[in-house]
């Protein structure tokens, strides 16, 4: 079982960087502008990251030609998906959840820079149970085994 409180602590400086970027750039710009701002903020704060990391999913142990690209992978275990949209919807969450499951990463942050106040959601993936868990510890999605 994963320790949600411990994982939330590991995300603290990443969330701070998200707030800094939104505070500096303001709401309503395009997604790529915020991604570039986050990259600069991560460099400044010395937060390890990979930007636009590509990966191929696998099927029955075979690498597929399909290619996915996530916005950021921080500290080797936190996936960040950036959006600049009127509101976050199910398809945005599904994208993050699938990246977390396919890459077996414990933490995911879905961030929306469009609102006047930055909007973000944190999720955790328990590989053992194949469940996505919210910050309150409740299961928000599960994958059939």
């Amino acid at each position: 079982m994963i320790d949600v409180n411990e994982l939330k602590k590991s995300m603290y400086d990443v969330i701070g960087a998200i707030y800094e970027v939104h505070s500096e750039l303001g709401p309503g710009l395009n997604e790529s502008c915020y991604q570039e701002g986050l990259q600069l903020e991560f460099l400044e704060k010395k937060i390890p990251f990979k930007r636009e990391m590509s990966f191929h999913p696998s099927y029955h142990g075979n690498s597929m030609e399909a290619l996915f690209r996530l916005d950021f992978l921080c500290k080797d275990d936190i996936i960040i998906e950036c959006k600049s949209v009127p509101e976050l919807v199910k398809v945005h969450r599904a994208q993050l959840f699938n990246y977390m499951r396919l890459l077996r990463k414990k933490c995911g942050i879905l961030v929306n820079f469009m609102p006047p106040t930055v909007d973000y959601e944190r999720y955790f993936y328990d590989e053992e149970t194949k469940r996505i868990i919210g910050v309150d510890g409740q299961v928000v999605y599960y994958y059939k085994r």
Side-chain angles (χ1 to χ4, degrees), residues 7 10-18 35 37-43 45-53 70-82 96 103-109 111:
L7 292 173
S10 75
M11 301 166 108
Y12 184 79
D13 55 348
V14 175
I15 298 293
I18 289 168
Q35 289 173 341
L38 268 179
Q39 178 175 323
L40 294 169
E41 190 67 22
F42 291 153
L43 288 168
K45 290 189 180 304
K46 295 180 175 49
I47 297 172
F49 72 94
K50 294 177 186 172
R51 183 175 173 193
E52 294 192 4
M53 189 185 103
L70 50 96
D71 293 335
F72 289 95
L73 179 64
C74 292
K75 300 180 178 183
D76 200 41
D77 210 25
I78 303 170
I79 295 174
I80 301 174
E81 273 303 306
C82 300
L96 177 64
L103 292 171
R104 297 181 173 130
K105 301 300 181 187
K106 292 180 184 174
C107 303
I109 302 172
V111 58

Side-chain angles (χ1 to χ4, degrees), residues 69-134:
R69 183 173 290 120
L70 50 96
D71 293 335
F72 289 95
L73 179 64
C74 292
K75 300 180 178 183
D76 200 41
D77 210 25
I78 303 170
I79 295 174
I80 301 174
E81 273 303 306
C82 300
K83 304 295 178 196
S84 186
V85 294
E87 69 180 76
L88 296 172
V89 294
K90 286 182 182 180
V91 69
H92 300 135
R93 292 177 191 92
Q95 178 186 22
L96 177 64
F97 297 169
N98 281 316
Y99 288 172
M100 292 169 71
R101 178 180 57 90
L102 291 170
L103 292 171
R104 297 181 173 130
K105 301 300 181 187
K106 292 180 184 174
C107 303
I109 302 172
L110 180 59
V111 58
N112 186 9
F113 287 100
M114 185 173 277
T117 303
V118 69
D119 181 23
Y120 68 92
E121 299 173 1
R122 294 173 289 173
Y123 297 100
F124 309 95
Y125 176 60
D126 186 339
E127 187 175 356
E128 184 180 318
T129 63
K130 305 286 189 239
R131 294 169 191 246
I132 301 289
I133 300 165

